[in-house]
Amino acid sequence: MEFEALKKSGITNLLSAFGRSIWLPQGIFYWTGRAKKEAAIDATIGSAQGPESEIVDGAPDKAVTFYIPSVTRYLGGPGSEDEGRGRGTRTSSEDIVAYAPMLGLPDLRKAWRDWILRKVGELRSRVEPCLTLPAVTPGVTGGIFMAAKLFVDKDEVVVSPDRLWENYSNVVERHIGGRIETFPFFEGGRFNLKGMQRKLLDTLAEQSKALLMLNFPNNPVGFNPPKDIVQPIVETLVEVVEQAGKPIVVLCDDAYEGYTYDPDALQRSMFGDLCDAHRRILPIKLDGISKEFLCYGGRLGFLTFGLPSGLDADRKALQEELDNKLGGVIRSTVSNCTRPVQAAILKALGQMDQVLAERGRVVDVLGRRARLLQAEFAKVDLPQFKPLPFNAGFFCFCDIEGVPANKLAEHLISKYKIGVVPTEAGKINGIRIAFCSVPEKDIPTLVSGVVSAIKDLAG
Ligand SMILES: Cc1ncc(COP(=O)(O)O)c(C=O)c1O
């Protein structure tokens, strides 16, 4: 593949050296594709197949990927208790044991695209022409890894607010050899626009493009920007690319999309607002079922590009070339993603009103916990204890002054039997509280324990 569309669109210039080099040879897939359409005898497929009647007594003669009922029964397929009860929930053996296509089940990719369009709400008409067909990744983590592999070069800087998911360091720095540079998350209690702008401009003074990691709702801070700051964030990024004359790739880590407890905060991902914001801004959406569908172990994520309009390249060719690059990464790392979960999520996506109604109960519970935690924090009058603003997600973060965070966490767990995650990194010293896992009734005790532990250690 020559990747002409990627070259014409300028996206080739955004790719890392690895991203430029990777491609998916057509080889096997070319011949399996041809055989599927044209062959009477197909000897291209590398999985055991044949008439179902050959392996299961009484089964029909239809061709299947061979399976073992004592395995598929545990995945709701043949052999399971539900079989034949007509509930319509039985999973076919094919949806359990067959390989999934490298980029994901085609119908699932389409259905997730529709889900993204539903999530962007009133921005739909603007976002729709930009959206590629999502590629299925192994969780959001897998999507972050693939995006970083394709777009981040060795020694290249990735900009992020200074409270970030710790795993970014392993992905970007240790796997790829890039560098994460941060700016302070808040300035005067608001998202630090100026800090972001300065950091991006400084970065662009040194390199041909900038990468920005935006994770809202954030881990560890549990913050989603108020609606009135979204446009200023977008405008700031537009100003940056205009001033620098260079592009920005924005990686939107939307793992916690949908968990916002404040009506004045952004309820959707900022990805939608970044779509077509500027020819030199390429947003990439990384989302998935771990939190959105409360299915952490399902290991399904999605990587979707928001291709700006005005790119001098055919969209269909761009999709094919991006799919080829992603296919190269997926095939050479995880090969493809778990098929039974793809099949199940495809079915769930077909009844999103019900899924959202059921998830709404969880969002309500977490919202109540967040508000109670905010109320308990508001009662605390302790100069060493500084909770950061939070209104979303699964966590909140409290800066701690005068007591090392690790020491505090150790004291909290040994004396008060309260577990939190400490961070001591450069200027940051604080604890992350996962309110997602603390029932409401325990929240006052949690807060009083933290306060007592700080007092014990601060002397
Ligand atoms: C900010 C952030 N991004 C991504 C992930 C990973 O999501 P997944 O479990 O889908 O890989 C997490 C999980 O903790 C997270 O906190």
Side-chain angles (χ1 to χ4, degrees):
M1 206 175 231
E2 294 304 320
F3 298 105
E4 291 301 339
L6 286 177
K7 280 182 208 149
K8 276 175 81 181
S9 69
I11 293 177
T12 300
N13 300 329
L14 304 179
L15 293 171
S16 61
F18 169 86
R20 285 193 294 276
S21 75
I22 190 82
W23 65 292
L24 183 71
Q26 287 307 298
I28 295 174
F29 304 102
Y30 172 76
W31 288 109
T32 47
R34 288 275 308 266
K36 214 173 187 176
K37 289 190 202 126
E38 301 168 40
I41 296 173
D42 183 356
T44 63
I45 301 172
S47 52
Q49 303 196 349
E52 195 172 7
S53 54
E54 284 190 328
I55 56 156
V56 177
D57 292 339
D61 290 333
K62 86 172 170 352
V64 294
T65 305
F66 285 164
Y67 62 89
I68 299 172
S70 293
V71 173
T72 53
R73 66 190 292 195
Y74 295 113
L75 288 156
S80 65
E81 284 176 13
D82 261 356
E83 195 172 11
R85 287 203 194 151
R87 291 192 204 161
T89 54
R90 180 183 179 277
T91 308
S92 73
S93 63
E94 215 58 21
D95 268 340
I96 296 173
V97 300
Y99 278 126
M102 261 169 305
L103 292 148
L105 294 175
D107 286 347
L108 175 65
R109 299 181 68 191
K110 283 191 212 126
W112 196 266
R113 191 176 187 277
D114 289 345
W115 171 228
I116 293 177
L117 288 171
R118 179 166 176 170
K119 288 191 283 184
V120 299
E122 77 271 13
L123 297 180
R124 185 185 182 107
S125 58
R126 180 165 123 206
V127 172
E128 191 159 14
C130 302
L131 269 197
T132 56
L133 208 50
V136 173
T137 61
V140 179
T141 310
I144 295 169
F145 176 80
M146 282 165 197
K149 221 30 210 166
L150 284 176
F151 289 93
V152 182
D153 259 316
K154 188 166 177 306
D155 297 326
E156 211 168 22
V157 168
V158 175
V159 173
S160 164
D162 65 357
R163 313 301 158 112
L164 57 157
W165 189 36
E166 57 173 19
N167 205 19
Y168 294 161
S169 312
N170 268 344
V171 174
V172 170
E173 301 192 325
R174 272 141 232 140
H175 264 292
I176 290 168
R179 268 186 302 131
I180 296 176
E181 288 199 1
T182 61
F183 60 90
F185 202 126
F186 295 107
E187 172 68 34
R190 307 263 295 165
F191 181 73
N192 183 4
L193 274 179
K194 284 271 164 274
M196 177 181 77
Q197 183 174 33
R198 257 193 312 274
K199 193 67 181 166
L200 285 169
L201 284 171
D202 289 352
T203 304
L204 283 170
E206 304 292 324
Q207 57 191 50
S208 62
K209 66 169 193 283
L211 295 117
L212 172 66
M213 195 80 184
L214 287 184
N215 168 220
F216 298 126
N218 177 270
N219 174 7
V221 176
F223 178 79
N224 219 10
K227 286 178 188 156
D228 64 3
I229 204 183
V230 174
Q231 212 37 41
I233 292 178
V234 176
E235 280 160 18
T236 302
L237 295 179
V238 168
E239 261 173 58
V240 167
V241 293
E242 296 226 313
Q243 201 175 321
K246 292 179 182 173
I248 303 182
V249 178
V250 186
L251 304 176
C252 301
D253 176 346
D254 294 337
Y256 298 90
E257 189 173 12
Y259 293 87
T260 305
Y261 318 118
D262 169 4
D264 294 332
L266 184 65
Q267 306 292 312
R268 53 167 191 258
S269 160
M270 211 178 286
F271 170 82
D273 303 85
L274 290 168
C275 277
D276 217 12
H278 195 281
R279 195 169 44 84
R280 289 198 206 102
I281 297 178
L282 176 65
I284 303 178
K285 183 168 182 28
L286 306 155
D287 52 14
I289 68 166
S290 304
K291 281 85 182 179
E292 281 187 75
F293 282 43
L294 293 163
C295 194
Y296 316 92
R299 308 312 306 140
L300 273 196
F302 297 83
L303 186 160
T304 313
F305 294 93
L307 301 176
S309 59
L311 294 181
D312 181 24
D314 175 58
R315 297 258 143 179
K316 191 161 165 281
L318 271 179
Q319 174 82 58
E320 272 168 24
E321 294 180 13
L322 288 168
D323 274 0
N324 183 284
K325 295 263 172 213
L326 281 163
V329 185
I330 294 171
R331 170 110 164 118
S332 60
T333 49
V334 294
S335 190
N336 52 73
C337 298
T338 168
R339 170 118 185 194
V341 184
Q342 292 192 44
I345 294 301
L346 175 57
K347 286 180 194 154
L349 283 161
Q351 39 172 29
M352 275 315 290
D353 288 341
Q354 197 175 330
V355 169
L356 288 175
E358 289 168 16
R359 185 182 77 175
R361 296 184 62 166
V362 179
V363 177
D364 287 349
V365 170
L366 297 191
R368 280 201 300 275
R369 291 180 191 174
R371 281 185 288 276
L372 179 57
L373 200 50
Q374 285 162 346
E376 291 296 314
F377 283 170
K379 293 183 205 155
V380 178
D381 183 15
L382 188 68
Q384 295 93 340
F385 178 70
K386 300 204 153 111
L388 299 180
F390 69 101
N391 55 14
F394 281 26
F395 311 100
C396 69
F397 194 89
C398 306
D399 281 347
I400 307 291
E401 279 176 12
V403 178
N406 286 312
K407 195 168 165 195
L408 175 63
E410 181 58 47
H411 187 64
L412 258 175
I413 199 146
S414 42
K415 179 162 176 197
Y416 295 93
K417 307 293 172 215
I418 292 171
V420 296
V421 176
T423 297
E424 285 182 33
K427 288 189 192 144
I428 294 167
N429 183 68
I431 53 171
R432 186 190 80 170
I433 297 176
F435 60 79
C436 58
S437 60
V438 182
E440 246 177 295
K441 69 170 180 38
D442 292 334
I443 284 178
T445 317
L446 164 76
V447 176
S448 69
V450 171
V451 169
S452 304
I454 296 173
K455 283 184 180 159
D456 293 345
L457 297 173

